[in-house]
Amino acid sequence: CQAAFVLTNSVSQGSQASFILDKVNEAGCEYSFGYRSFKWKTTKSDNVGVTVIIIGIANKGYISRKTIYDSNAIVPCKEIGPNLLPDINIRIKSRTRTLSPNLPEMKKGNMSYCADALIFKTDELNDFLSKYPEAKRYVRPLYGSDEFVSSTPRWCLWITDKVLSEAKQIDGISARIEDVRIARANTTATKRCKENPHKFRDTNETSQGNVSLIIPCVTSERRLYFQMGIVDDKTIVNNLACVVYDCDIWLLALLESRMHTVWAKNAAGGHETRPRYSCDLCYNTFPAPEIDKHQQSILRNLAKTLLEVREKYCDKSLGEMYTNMPPELARVHSWIDATVDSLYRSQPFENDAERLIWLKNMYNNLLENE
């Protein structure tokens, strides 16, 4: 028997990709061909469409020569993996802690939970501060995915328990805290959340004098790398980005490498064709090499160089910078790629497929030895 299905492309992304192919295999079947993500439109005049894939299924061994269709490319192969990659069968399972013991913890940013009254766009903040200039001491820049990639932060009132009584002396702040209390009153928020309307539900922040690494959860498929970066101890990150708090910047170079990028894009779920980064699927599963102090120092210097080059193009947003990468920025990324590749093996990798196969073997070995 053979069959084919037109499906939303989420079937080949994220944790469900491995789950579904496992079920297909349990039934004695395998993928026989696959069309990778493309827009399915209902009519010629319809500009709105859903992003789909087509998967062929047949009894195991019935089709010896499988085929992947990707845009205009036709790729013959012996095996099709859960992410519809030719001869690359990586079954990635979501994890709540890192598979590689030398990686620090990553977590989602802060969920505000009905605390919209504490958040401002720039023009809203200017109006607010023109009325209540003394409130400036409680304002912090706020970044999520869109804000970080577009280099246009929003702002938030960040009020700790220690300064609450003095902050409430400002009428504008007191009114906004009351708005949050009312907004949370009839929700499923926890008792603690309802009793603290002056705060976001989560209150993670960078320790004084340290920096944190931020990774936007969604990026464009047209960009070669995720737009990660470093934020200081004044910056607040919301739950639409992932964060490693109080980290050493050598980690930025490791995660901005081609090795991590191809792993993360393969493991990630997605929004249409855009990869969606997650702590549990992309970072916690990443098979990182052992990195000694000397190698960390090399990566730290590369991260500093990367940040310095980005600063030269500060008139552009990160999104613009990585959509049309300046030659100098591309060159730094090539240095990072070569350095991180060398941490895995002395022989250079020919392409991303080789990188994925190497990472797949490392991933399986780490799981077996865990």
Side-chain angles (χ1 to χ4, degrees), residues 188-232:
T188 57
T190 63
K191 183 172 182 286
R192 180 184 175 191
C193 189
K194 291 180 179 180
E195 289 176 349
N196 291 277
H198 60 290
K199 297 191 288 190
F200 284 17
R201 187 196 72 178
D202 308 315
T203 55
N204 298 304
E205 57 183 319
T206 307
S207 301
Q208 188 172 2
N210 288 347
V211 296
S212 295
L213 186 146
I214 175 174
I215 304 179
C217 289
V218 179
T219 188
S220 168
E221 70 279 9
R222 294 177 295 143
R223 299 173 189 146
L224 287 177
Y225 301 90
F226 287 91
Q227 291 78 67
M228 308 175 192
I230 298 296
V231 294
D232 62 19

Coordinates of all heavy atoms in Angstrom, one line a residue, residues 188-232:
T188 N -7.2 33.3 36.1 CA -6.8 32.1 36.8 C -5.4 32.3 37.3 O -4.6 31.4 37.7 CB -6.7 30.9 35.8 OG1 -5.9 31.2 34.7 CG2 -8.1 30.5 35.4
A189 N -4.9 33.6 37.5 CA -3.6 33.9 38.0 C -3.5 33.3 39.4 O -4.5 33.2 40.2 CB -3.4 35.4 38.0
T190 N -2.3 33.0 39.8 CA -2.1 32.5 41.2 C -2.4 33.5 42.2 O -2.4 34.7 41.9 CB -0.6 32.0 41.3 OG1 0.2 33.1 41.2 CG2 -0.3 30.9 40.3
K191 N -2.6 33.1 43.4 CA -2.8 34.0 44.5 C -1.7 35.0 44.7 O -1.8 36.2 44.9 CB -3.0 33.2 45.8 CG -3.3 34.1 47.1 CD -3.7 33.2 48.2 CE -4.1 34.0 49.5 NZ -2.9 34.6 50.1
R192 N -0.4 34.5 44.5 CA 0.7 35.4 44.7 C 0.7 36.4 43.6 O 1.1 37.6 43.8 CB 2.0 34.5 44.6 CG 3.3 35.3 44.7 CD 4.5 34.3 44.5 NE 5.7 35.1 44.4 CZ 6.9 34.6 44.1 NH1 7.0 33.4 43.7 NH2 8.0 35.4 44.1
C193 N 0.4 36.0 42.3 CA 0.4 37.0 41.2 C -0.7 38.1 41.5 O -0.4 39.2 41.2 CB 0.0 36.2 39.9 SG 0.2 37.2 38.4
K194 N -1.9 37.7 42.0 CA -2.9 38.7 42.2 C -2.5 39.6 43.3 O -2.9 40.8 43.3 CB -4.2 38.0 42.5 CG -4.8 37.2 41.4 CD -6.1 36.5 41.8 CE -6.7 35.8 40.6 NZ -8.0 35.1 40.9
E195 N -1.8 39.1 44.3 CA -1.4 40.0 45.4 C -0.2 40.9 45.1 O 0.2 41.7 46.0 CB -1.0 39.1 46.6 CG -2.2 38.4 47.2 CD -1.9 37.4 48.3 OE1 -0.6 37.1 48.5 OE2 -2.8 36.9 49.0
N196 N 0.4 40.8 43.9 CA 1.5 41.6 43.6 C 1.3 42.3 42.2 O 2.0 42.0 41.2 CB 2.8 40.7 43.5 CG 3.2 40.3 44.9 OD1 3.9 41.0 45.6 ND2 2.9 39.1 45.2
P197 N 0.3 43.2 42.1 CA 0.0 43.8 40.8 C 1.0 44.8 40.4 O 0.9 45.3 39.3 CB -1.4 44.5 41.1 CG -1.4 44.7 42.6 CD -0.6 43.6 43.2
H198 N 2.0 45.1 41.2 CA 3.1 46.0 40.8 C 4.2 45.3 40.0 O 5.1 46.0 39.5 CB 3.7 46.6 42.1 CG 4.3 45.7 43.0 ND1 3.6 44.8 43.8 CD2 5.6 45.4 43.3 CE1 4.4 44.0 44.5 NE2 5.6 44.4 44.3
K199 N 4.0 44.0 39.8 CA 5.1 43.2 39.2 C 4.5 42.3 38.1 O 3.4 42.0 38.0 CB 5.8 42.3 40.2 CG 6.5 43.0 41.3 CD 7.4 42.1 42.1 CE 6.6 41.1 43.0 NZ 7.5 40.4 43.9
F200 N 5.4 42.0 37.1 CA 5.1 40.9 36.2 C 4.9 39.6 37.0 O 5.4 39.5 38.1 CB 6.3 40.7 35.2 CG 6.4 41.7 34.1 CD1 5.7 43.0 34.2 CD2 7.2 41.5 33.0 CE1 5.8 43.9 33.2 CE2 7.3 42.5 32.0 CZ 6.6 43.7 32.1
R201 N 4.3 38.6 36.3 CA 4.2 37.3 37.0 C 5.6 36.8 37.3 O 5.8 36.2 38.4 CB 3.5 36.3 36.1 CG 3.2 35.0 36.8 CD 2.8 33.9 35.8 NE 3.9 33.5 35.0 CZ 3.9 32.5 34.1 NH1 2.7 31.9 33.8 NH2 4.9 32.1 33.4
D202 N 6.5 36.9 36.3 CA 7.9 36.4 36.5 C 8.8 37.6 36.7 O 8.6 38.7 36.1 CB 8.4 35.6 35.3 CG 7.4 34.5 35.0 OD1 7.0 33.8 35.9 OD2 7.1 34.3 33.8
T203 N 9.8 37.5 37.5 CA 10.6 38.7 37.8 C 12.1 38.4 37.7 O 13.0 38.8 38.5 CB 10.3 39.2 39.3 OG1 10.5 38.1 40.2 CG2 8.9 39.7 39.4
N204 N 12.5 37.6 36.7 CA 13.9 37.3 36.4 C 14.6 38.5 35.9 O 14.1 39.2 35.0 CB 14.0 36.2 35.5 CG 13.4 34.9 36.0 OD1 13.8 34.4 37.1 ND2 12.5 34.3 35.2
E205 N 15.8 38.8 36.3 CA 16.6 39.9 35.8 C 18.1 39.6 36.0 O 18.5 38.7 36.7 CB 16.3 41.2 36.5 CG 16.4 41.2 38.0 CD 16.0 42.5 38.7 OE1 16.3 43.6 38.1 OE2 15.4 42.5 39.7
T206 N 18.9 40.3 35.2 CA 20.4 40.1 35.3 C 20.9 40.8 36.5 O 20.5 41.8 36.9 CB 21.0 40.8 34.0 OG1 20.4 40.3 32.9 CG2 22.5 40.5 34.0
S207 N 21.8 40.0 37.2 CA 22.4 40.6 38.4 C 23.3 41.8 38.1 O 23.8 42.0 37.0 CB 23.3 39.5 39.0 OG 22.6 38.3 39.3
Q208 N 23.4 42.7 39.1 CA 24.1 44.0 38.9 C 25.5 43.7 38.4 O 26.2 42.9 39.0 CB 24.0 44.8 40.2 CG 24.6 46.2 40.0 CD 24.4 47.0 41.2 OE1 23.8 46.6 42.2 NE2 24.8 48.3 41.2
G209 N 25.9 44.4 37.3 CA 27.3 44.3 36.8 C 27.5 43.1 35.9 O 28.5 43.0 35.3
N210 N 26.5 42.3 35.7 CA 26.6 41.1 34.8 C 25.8 41.4 33.5 O 25.1 42.4 33.3 CB 26.0 39.9 35.4 CG 27.0 39.3 36.5 OD1 28.1 39.8 36.6 ND2 26.5 38.4 37.3
V211 N 25.9 40.5 32.5 CA 25.2 40.5 31.3 C 24.4 39.2 31.1 O 24.8 38.2 31.7 CB 26.1 40.8 30.1 CG1 26.7 42.2 30.2 CG2 27.1 39.7 29.9
S212 N 23.4 39.3 30.2 CA 22.7 38.0 29.9 C 22.6 37.9 28.4 O 22.7 38.9 27.6 CB 21.3 38.1 30.5 OG 21.3 38.1 31.9
L213 N 22.4 36.7 27.9 CA 22.3 36.4 26.5 C 20.8 36.2 26.1 O 20.1 35.5 26.8 CB 23.0 35.1 26.1 CG 23.1 34.7 24.7 CD1 24.5 34.1 24.4 CD2 22.0 33.8 24.2
I214 N 20.4 36.9 25.1 CA 19.0 36.9 24.7 C 18.9 36.2 23.3 O 19.7 36.5 22.4 CB 18.3 38.3 24.7 CG1 16.9 38.2 24.1 CG2 19.2 39.3 24.0 CD1 16.2 39.6 24.3
I215 N 17.9 35.3 23.1 CA 17.6 34.7 21.8 C 16.2 34.9 21.5 O 15.3 34.3 22.1 CB 18.0 33.2 21.8 CG1 19.4 33.0 22.3 CG2 17.7 32.6 20.4 CD1 19.8 31.5 22.3
P216 N 15.8 35.7 20.4 CA 14.4 35.8 20.0 C 13.9 34.5 19.6 O 14.6 33.7 19.0 CB 14.5 36.8 18.8 CG 15.8 37.5 19.0 CD 16.7 36.6 19.7
C217 N 12.6 34.2 20.0 CA 12.0 32.9 19.7 C 11.7 32.7 18.2 O 11.7 31.5 17.8 CB 10.7 32.7 20.5 SG 11.1 32.6 22.3
V218 N 11.5 33.8 17.5 CA 11.1 33.6 16.0 C 12.0 34.4 15.2 O 12.4 35.6 15.5 CB 9.7 34.0 15.8 CG1 9.3 33.8 14.3 CG2 8.7 33.2 16.6
T219 N 12.5 33.8 14.1 CA 13.3 34.6 13.1 C 12.9 34.3 11.7 O 12.1 33.3 11.5 CB 14.8 34.2 13.3 OG1 15.6 35.1 12.5 CG2 15.1 32.8 12.9
S220 N 13.4 35.0 10.8 CA 13.1 34.7 9.3 C 13.9 33.6 8.8 O 15.1 33.5 9.1 CB 13.3 36.0 8.5 OG 13.3 35.7 7.1
E221 N 13.3 32.7 8.0 CA 14.0 31.6 7.4 C 15.0 32.1 6.4 O 15.9 31.4 5.9 CB 13.0 30.7 6.7 CG 12.4 31.2 5.4 CD 11.2 32.1 5.7 OE1 10.9 32.5 6.8 OE2 10.5 32.4 4.7
R222 N 15.0 33.4 6.0 CA 15.9 34.0 5.0 C 17.2 34.4 5.7 O 18.2 34.7 5.0 CB 15.3 35.2 4.3 CG 14.1 34.9 3.5 CD 13.5 36.2 2.9 NE 13.0 37.0 3.9 CZ 13.0 38.4 3.9 NH1 13.6 39.0 3.0 NH2 12.5 39.1 4.9
R223 N 17.3 34.3 7.0 CA 18.5 34.7 7.7 C 19.3 33.5 8.0 O 18.8 32.5 8.5 CB 18.2 35.5 8.9 CG 17.5 36.8 8.6 CD 17.0 37.6 9.8 NE 16.1 38.7 9.4 CZ 15.1 39.1 10.1 NH1 14.8 38.5 11.2 NH2 14.3 40.1 9.7
L224 N 20.6 33.5 7.8 CA 21.5 32.4 8.0 C 21.7 32.0 9.5 O 21.9 30.9 9.8 CB 22.9 32.6 7.4 CG 23.0 32.6 5.9 CD1 24.4 32.9 5.4 CD2 22.6 31.2 5.3
Y225 N 21.6 33.0 10.4 CA 21.8 32.8 11.8 C 20.6 33.4 12.6 O 19.9 34.3 12.1 CB 23.1 33.5 12.2 CG 24.3 33.0 11.5 CD1 24.7 33.6 10.3 CD2 25.1 31.9 11.9 CE1 25.9 33.2 9.6 CE2 26.2 31.5 11.2 CZ 26.6 32.1 10.1 OH 27.7 31.7 9.4
F226 N 20.5 32.9 13.8 CA 19.6 33.5 14.7 C 20.2 34.8 15.2 O 21.4 35.0 15.3 CB 19.3 32.6 15.9 CG 18.4 31.4 15.6 CD1 19.0 30.2 15.2 CD2 17.1 31.5 15.7 CE1 18.2 29.1 14.9 CE2 16.3 30.4 15.4 CZ 16.8 29.2 15.0
Q227 N 19.3 35.8 15.5 CA 19.8 37.1 15.9 C 19.9 37.2 17.5 O 19.1 37.8 18.1 CB 18.9 38.3 15.4 CG 18.9 38.4 13.9 CD 18.1 37.4 13.2 OE1 16.9 37.3 13.3 NE2 18.8 36.5 12.4
M228 N 20.9 36.6 18.0 CA 21.2 36.6 19.4 C 22.0 37.8 19.8 O 22.6 38.4 19.0 CB 21.9 35.3 19.8 CG 21.3 34.0 19.3 SD 22.4 32.6 19.7 CE 21.6 31.4 18.8
G229 N 22.0 38.1 21.1 CA 22.8 39.2 21.5 C 22.9 39.2 23.0 O 22.5 38.3 23.8
I230 N 23.6 40.3 23.5 CA 23.9 40.5 24.9 C 23.1 41.7 25.4 O 23.1 42.7 24.8 CB 25.4 40.7 25.1 CG1 26.2 39.5 24.7 CG2 25.7 41.0 26.6 CD1 25.9 38.2 25.5
V231 N 22.5 41.6 26.6 CA 21.8 42.7 27.2 C 22.4 42.9 28.6 O 22.9 42.0 29.3 CB 20.3 42.4 27.4 CG1 19.6 42.4 26.0 CG2 20.0 41.2 28.1
D232 N 22.3 44.2 29.1 CA 22.9 44.6 30.4 C 21.9 44.3 31.5 O 20.8 43.9 31.4 CB 23.4 46.0 30.3 CG 22.3 47.0 30.1 OD1 21.1 46.7 30.3 OD2 22.6 48.1 29.7

